[in-house]
Amino acid sequence: MVIVTTIRREVLTLPAAELGPDNPLPPLRPLDEVHHIEDRDRQDLPRDMARQVGYAPLHSLLPVRIRDGYGRTRRPRPIDALVLENDRLRATVLPGLGGRVASLVHRPTGRELLYRNPVLQPANFALNGAWFSGGIEWNIGATGHTPLSCAPLHAARVPAPGGGDMLRLWEWDRLRDLPFQVDLWLPEGSDFLLVGVRVRNPHEHPVPTYWWSNIAVPEERRVLAPATEAWLPHCLNGVGGAPIGYERSLRRVPVPAHDGVDRTYPPNSTYAADYFYEVPDGRRRWIAALDERGEGLVQTSTDVLRGRKLFVWGSGPGGRSWQRWLTEPGTGGYCEIQAGLARTQLEHVRLEAESEVAWLEAYGPLAGPPPAGEWDTVVRRTEARLEAALPRADVEAAHEAWRAHADAEPGEILATGSGWGALEVLHGDLKLPGTPFPASTLGEAQAPWRELLRTGTFPEPRRAAPPGQTLVAPHWRDMLETAPATPLTEYHLGVAQWHAGDRAQAVRSWERALELAPSLWPLLRCLAVADQEADHHERAAERYVEAFDDLCAERRDDGERWTAATAALGREAIEALLRVRRPADARAVWERLHPATRARGRFRLIEAELLLAEGRPEQARAVFDEGFEVADLREGDERIGRVWERAGGGDLPERYDFRMRPSLPGDGR
């Protein structure tokens, strides 16, 4: 009997850490763009690749906020899920967490095709912080994991090609101001999950576009793709590769082996590495991860999604530490196979005004001979198995059939995302068939901006509170410039001007607001950042002291918003004061942080730095001996190791070793 495809709600219970509050301070500092390639190193790249590498890299997170309020304490928590199922596959989607496909099970064999993370542990890998590992994630916006990694998407039931239902996910990407949708469905009797993706540019100007679908799979696999070369971020010592950013250049390497090692087996790399496969034009786009029996997952797509990539953590101590950090010890490691709009993740693609880009992806099982053996033979054999299981022509036909349904209006609403898309639709009177952003989704965060749009005036708050989010797109900046110059309006205008690169005017806006503002600390903090960016570190430190004093006098309670503001401003103030060798003032800030804040791992590390600045290395070493975990440690951040060296050094304990590259002369390790 044929089982009809179903979509149902389900609640998963997972050991999960709370996401906590967002950082209320606007991210004014330039984005640490470690994926930058120097001009001199573009000369040997293909012409289109060189152009796209230099096209509109992201320099700021604004208007997105940083998500750093999470911890490391995991408790069983309910997670809303949507399950798509036919008689062959069962896909579990998390609409409240970026629409992640957390699991894809082949029902006849009971095999999980993905790496399914048994826990939900946020970590600092997204562009704006919180991200978690496992499953299939949808990355839009700019180089890196999307800010929507741990954010809710809109979800609804929509008619599918050929009958039945498909699950539509959609949201508004705030980094590039682009709406997008992801449609998932399981044709009757199909072994493949089909995914239609569309990114639209409703504006009257071109916009840089970025997309990578990242698929976590167990690392005890061989990764296959139709390529004999790959682009690799330049290695430091030729052993296993190094993460992008340590050497800002790319080089071609042979596939499968370079430096005498077959890198298509993830455990063979010592350090983390990205391999961007050079798939020849005209060749079918696909990538597979197969175990020693020849069983595993294959992903394929229409040709628009041209790029394919393998990411490995590496078998070294740093990679192992990160794997344990993101999941639970003993659950096995993972690697990622990925597919994107360009050859590499260093590139952005131009999306013309009032246009769109769309493609179809397919995910399913593959079984056959073991993947060991000569590369070309194994690749051809695997491609033939894929063609037998899902012909390339069928993928093209499914794409055409889906395009006829891409504008279908959603039926039953299954989950609700943010109200930012509704605000942009309201402003631009946009028509986006298939992805409605109704006014009913507008909330507290959008309320003052809706008032500005309606009346031309930005409302002042009725009670003291940390400022809300700032919108920085040109049309919002224009409205702020013509609105009455109240202190809060000047604050938001300054942030928007700063984002636009007009730093002098931003400083003038913040300084004007100081004259009448009832709340000084948000403005003083912005001015302190401006001083730091201009290398006026003494003045920045003084402004941080004033800002923190004002915040402590103003905060009304120990509620979540005030605690988050105190932690964020206190951290910046201490670091600024230590930079100019004012440990006594830094200690005064430390003492006024909430006790729960001081107990967090990030602040224990800051405490060790403070103790070192006070000339107390033994006490700093004791902080390490007592143990701490920096929940928001950033990939590639070697600060723990540097503080350890200053506190006495020696072999860095495994619990603190997250190094993603080999040691270099002069590292002190």
Side-chain angles (χ1 to χ4, degrees), residues 81-236:
L82 298 170
V83 178
L84 291 80
E85 192 167 22
N86 65 2
D87 59 334
R88 309 294 296 174
L89 288 175
R90 180 170 62 250
T92 302
V93 180
L94 309 181
L97 294 165
R100 182 80 58 103
V101 180
S103 170
L104 185 62
V105 174
H106 185 231
R107 294 185 62 192
T109 61
R111 284 192 288 126
E112 173 63 68
L113 301 179
L114 306 174
Y115 172 77
R116 181 172 186 170
N117 198 333
V119 304
L120 177 57
Q121 177 57 61
N124 190 3
F125 283 78
L127 285 165
N128 66 331
W131 170 88
F132 65 104
S133 65
I136 307 171
E137 59 178 299
W138 319 110
N139 290 294
I140 187 173
T143 299
H145 294 283
T146 174
L148 295 167
S149 294
C150 292
L153 303 190
H154 301 280
R157 195 185 303 268
V158 182
D165 293 331
M166 64 181 172
L167 174 63
R168 174 163 298 162
L169 306 167
W170 73 98
E171 245 301 351
W172 188 276
D173 167 46
R174 300 179 68 205
L175 288 179
R176 302 298 195 181
D177 272 333
L178 297 176
F180 68 95
Q181 71 188 76
V182 179
D183 290 350
L184 305 97
W185 77 102
L186 292 167
E188 187 176 291
S190 175
D191 273 329
F192 285 84
L193 172 68
L194 300 186
V195 182
V197 183
R198 176 167 64 167
V199 181
R200 286 190 273 197
N201 177 10
H203 309 296
E204 296 178 349
H205 55 83
V207 177
T209 310
Y210 174 95
W211 185 281
W212 280 80
S213 301
N214 290 10
I215 309 121
V217 293
E219 67 181 355
E220 295 295 334
R221 299 287 187 270
R222 190 179 195 190
V223 173
L224 305 169
T228 57
E229 290 183 311
W231 294 96
L232 177 68
H234 188 61
C235 303
L236 287 168

Side-chain angles (χ1 to χ4, degrees), residues 524-544:
L524 289 167
R525 183 265 175 176
C526 289
L527 290 167
V529 174
D531 284 334
Q532 287 180 321
E533 291 298 308
D535 289 329
H536 299 310
H537 296 289
E538 290 285 355
R539 189 167 66 192
E542 193 57 43
R543 278 182 159 147
Y544 268 120

Side-chain angles (χ1 to χ4, degrees), residues 280-316:
D281 289 342
R283 192 76 181 265
R284 184 173 186 178
R285 273 33 181 165
W286 63 272
I287 190 167
L290 306 179
D291 64 19
E292 60 184 7
R293 299 183 305 274
E295 298 177 347
L297 174 81
V298 64
Q299 186 269 3
T300 188
S301 71
T302 48
D303 289 352
V304 168
L305 202 67
R306 68 169 298 175
R308 292 299 184 274
K309 173 191 164 183
L310 165 63
F311 167 76
V312 298
W313 282 106
S315 59

